[in-house]
Every structure is written in C-alpha cells, then in structure tokens.
Amino acid sequence: MTVDDTTQVTQATQVTQVTHVIEGFREVYGRAPDGVWAAPGRVNLIGEHTDYNDGFVLPFALPHTTLAAVAHREDGLLRLHSGSPDVPGAVVEVRLAELAPGREAGRTDGWADYPAGVMWALREAGHPVGGADLHFASTVPHGAGLSSSAALEVATALALNEVHGLDIPPRELAVLCRHAENAYVGAPTGIMDQMASACCTAGHALFLDTRDFSQRQVPFDLAAHGLRLLVVDTRVTHAHSSGEYGQRRAGCEAGAASLGVTALRDVPYAELPSALDRLDDAEIRRLVRHVVTENERVKRTIALLADTSSVRAIGPILTESHASLRDDFRVSCAELDLVVDTALAAGALGARMTGGGFGGSAIVLADESAVRPLTAALDKAFTTAGLPAPRVFPALPSRGAHRMA
Ligand code: GLA
C-alpha cells in the first residue's frame, strides 16, 4: 500500500470544494450564500488528556476542513443542511426560541446538534443572532479522532460571527464552541480541539495553556529536516469511548480534590512522587501520573523544537506519551497499539495515539525515506490481524479557520 493520496487536500481541491459548497447552498436554499467559511480538523502532537486539567497541549491544524456556506436571516429560524456523504438528508429546521440543551426541545440528536449548539451558545452569551441558513461540506475524516465535530462548530461560529457582524475574536469563538459541545450536545470535552481549529496557523503547532488560553505559535516544519508526520487512521471507534472519557475526567478531578489543588496542572513534576504517596486509590494514582508527566513531555517537546538540530529527538517523547496513555491513562486500544508497535519496529522515530483514544488515529514521526516501508509494514500488520488496512496520510500543519469566499 502507498500513502493514501485521496486524503490529500491541495489548494486546487479547496477551490473546487468552495464552488461545490456554493452550488450546494443554491440548490438547497434557492439563493446565494453571503459567504463561505472553513475550519480545519486537527492532530495533537503531544499533550493528551491534559486540557481538562488546565494543562498544556500542542496541536496543529490539518489541511482537511469543514466548509460552511451561510446566509443570514432575521426571522428567528435556523436551517441546517449537510452535503457530506456521511450525513446526507433533509434540511433540519429549528426555531431559535426553541433551542435548548439536553433532551429538551430543539434537539435533533445528530450532526445538526453541533451547529445548533453553537447558535444556542451565541444567543445564550447575549449575542444578537437572528437566524441563518447553513450548508456544510467536509473533508475532515469523520470518526477518526481528528476533530470533525470541532471543525463543524468552529466553521459555524466563524460564519455566524461575520454574517451577523458580531466581531468576536477567535479565542472567544472557540470557548463558545466548547460550551456548545459541553452544555448543548452533552460531551464533556476540553478546549483543545476548538482552540486548534480556530487559532492554528500554517507551518506551526499551537502551544496552548488551557488554563488561561495564552498561546504561542511554534514553528513546525518537519519537511525542512527530512521528516514526516504520518496520521494513521485505524478506522475503528470503540462504542464506549464517550463514557470512558467522562470517567477519566471525573477521576482527574477527584485526584485534584484529594491533593487539594484546583487542577492536576498545579502538581509540579518535581513533586509527583510525594503527590502519588498521598493518594490511596491506585486508579487515581495512575491518572495523576499520566497528566503530570504528560505536561512535562509537552514542555520537553517545546524545548526540543526550539532548537532546529534537535527536532528528531521529539520521537522518543511521543512514544513515551503513548506508553503513558496505554498503561496509566488506559485510553489506547489494540489497533492503536498495533500502529505504534509496528511503526517503531519498521524504523519510526516515535509514535503515539492522538486525540481522545479508544480508536481513531495515531501519529508516526519518521524519516521521509522510511515512509513507504513503514506504510507497507502497517498494511501488512493490519491484514495479518484480520483488520481493514488503516488510512495513512502525511499531516501538514495548516491554517486555522478563515473565510474562503
Ligand atoms: C478529545 C477532546 C479534547 C481532549 C482530547 C484528549 O479530543 O475533545 O478536548 O481532551 O480528547 O487530549
């Protein structure tokens, strides 16, 4: 198998996508949109399950985006339509006055809850949004742990922000999107995905402090060092993932409470041994150890990336992160472990699961010359294990959310 070229997103394909999404909008709503906005999916280089512990993360944006063609309305109606093959179907129509979180009125219990939740969050925060027609198309792989939900939310938020002249800065939009996901959709996620989609810049990873949202763009040009970062989508999503996520989060909060700190971010790495001694529960000890060591790994990665001669040295840190997520945080799965083990045996410099876990994608850092043998080794390992071949593509740090037309 070769690297999957169908997942490459070039500027030319983006232009075609914009034309398509405008045509799609016209077909569905019988008029022209006010504009088209794009928001990307992301991979997280390192800093996993740290964002709801006020910790550090280092994601970057993918070239894969969700496009929203949008026209404003002022009659209190929200209409949503998706042109994605994953979720074809009728226009979802909701009255703004009926939008309400949880199981209440206005809920559609599907993809439309994400954009509807963003509309709800904007209005709840007091922004004057009178309605809108939206039509979406996406190249972000769905269910691959690459933040297709955040891309959908952020594309919606950016579009509504402009068509209603709200002038909300990107960081604040990201916070509103997370609120939509937490309170409206009901998924207890952290801020990383929305902030990455809203704030990343091309050629950089985003070093984000999830406590105060301070951020720094970190140059991340692997090609200049003859390196590649591959995304390996295992194509599996384990059903229990959202419940497990909530349990890990609750365990971290219990750990912080036992240690008398606001969040696990407040446990310094140097004090980890004494903190662990103070915890009776073995499960909570493991969760705490992961979060504290993972924050330290983000800092070590940042330090190595600051020096162009040491970029390769981030490889083993990625692998350490995977071991910690597998053994201490326990959010990996057989397919993700297979990617990491196979990649390392085939000469990768480092590899880890990325995102929430329990399926989805892993990332692999490798010399450019190792990409083909490595991809072949992954293909073979999956076939031998009786699994469908994973989807592999190189990840290029790309632009965050922006207006396309
Ligand atoms: C998911 C969540 C993020 C983050 C990661 C794990 O992607 O949406 O907020 O917690 O898992 O790092």
Side-chain angles (χ1 to χ4, degrees):
M1 194 182 93
T2 56
V3 171
D4 185 349
D5 287 323
T6 59
T7 37
Q8 295 304 316
V9 180
T10 63
Q11 232 167 355
T13 53
Q14 278 176 0
V15 171
T16 315
Q17 281 155 11
V18 170
T19 311
H20 275 152
V21 82
I22 292 174
E23 276 167 16
F25 186 97
R26 278 183 193 280
E27 271 167 35
V28 175
Y29 298 115
R31 60 173 175 147
D34 298 342
V36 176
W37 288 263
R42 62 95 190 95
V43 290
N44 187 18
L45 184 58
I46 196 153
E48 217 65 85
H49 289 277
T50 49
D51 65 348
Y52 50 82
N53 291 296
D54 285 2
F56 304 110
V57 293
L58 191 57
F60 63 87
L62 289 169
H64 308 74
T65 56
T66 292
L67 297 184
V70 181
H72 83 289
R73 312 174 60 102
E74 293 297 346
D75 60 355
L77 204 61
L78 174 67
R79 297 198 294 174
L80 304 162
H81 182 263
S82 172
S84 289
D86 289 343
V87 281
V91 175
V92 176
E93 198 169 299
V94 197
R95 300 218 65 82
L96 298 188
E98 285 169 13
L99 289 172
R103 298 283 125 197
E104 295 167 48
R107 285 295 300 259
T108 62
D109 285 318
W111 69 270
D113 281 341
Y114 294 88
V118 171
M119 178 61 102
W120 168 81
L122 281 166
R123 285 167 58 84
E124 211 212 21
H127 297 292
V129 192
D133 287 341
L134 297 95
H135 170 70
F136 299 98
S138 186
T139 54
V140 185
H142 185 67
L146 302 174
S147 292
S148 57
S149 313
L152 180 55
E153 292 158 5
V154 173
T156 303
L158 199 68
L160 294 178
N161 190 33
E162 269 198 56
V163 299
H164 286 284
L166 305 177
D167 219 13
I168 306 170
R171 281 179 212 198
E172 231 176 279
L173 287 179
V175 173
L176 284 165
C177 288
R178 179 189 53 176
H179 186 51
E181 186 148 349
N182 290 171
Y184 191 92
V185 179
T189 57
I191 191 68
M192 171 170 69
D193 304 345
Q194 293 82 3
M195 207 57 99
S197 188
C199 299
C200 280
T201 59
H204 296 86
L206 179 76
F207 178 35
L208 173 71
D209 180 337
T210 64
R211 168 159 280 169
D212 62 8
F213 306 145
S214 58
Q215 42 190 265
R216 183 151 60 83
Q217 302 290 341
V218 178
F220 190 55
D221 181 7
L222 292 175
H225 304 280
L227 299 173
R228 284 279 184 277
L229 193 83
L230 299 176
V231 174
V232 183
D233 170 13
T234 62
R235 301 185 198 248
V236 294
T237 312
H238 292 287
H240 51 279
S241 59
S242 56
E244 294 274 357
Y245 185 98
Q247 280 172 24
R248 297 303 183 281
R249 183 171 182 154
C252 288
E253 284 161 5
S258 301
L259 293 167
V261 291
T262 306
L264 291 182
R265 143 51 170 302
D266 298 310
V267 179
Y269 180 65
E271 288 169 27
L272 179 60
S274 68
L276 294 178
D277 280 349
R278 283 156 52 212
L279 293 167
D280 299 328
D281 186 304
E283 174 69 20
I284 290 186
R285 264 205 305 276
R286 279 195 296 269
L287 298 179
V288 171
R289 186 165 53 204
H290 166 73
V291 174
V292 176
T293 58
E294 184 77 354
N295 276 327
E296 187 65 13
R297 282 187 284 272
V298 177
K299 292 189 207 158
R300 282 164 58 206
T301 303
I302 291 288
L304 289 170
L305 290 178
D307 177 353
T308 50
S309 68
S310 57
V311 172
R312 299 170 69 82
I314 70 171
I317 306 180
L318 303 182
T319 309
E320 272 175 44
S321 167
H322 185 77
S324 180
L325 288 157
R326 182 191 60 209
D327 302 335
D328 274 348
F329 218 69
R330 301 193 184 190
V331 289
S332 188
C333 62
E335 295 86 351
L336 287 166
D337 293 344
L338 184 62
V339 173
V340 170
D341 295 345
T342 307
L344 292 174
L349 299 168
R352 60 182 288 272
M353 53 157 276
T354 187
F358 303 106
S361 298
I363 51 173
V364 175
L365 180 71
D367 281 308
E368 204 179 328
S369 58
V371 167
R372 277 182 188 277
L374 224 150
T375 310
L378 286 168
D379 198 20
K380 187 167 172 222
F382 270 64
T383 310
T384 308
L387 297 164
R391 176 165 44 188
V392 183
F393 61 94
L396 295 176
S398 301
R399 202 175 162 189
H402 58 282
R403 186 172 186 158
M404 297 282 291

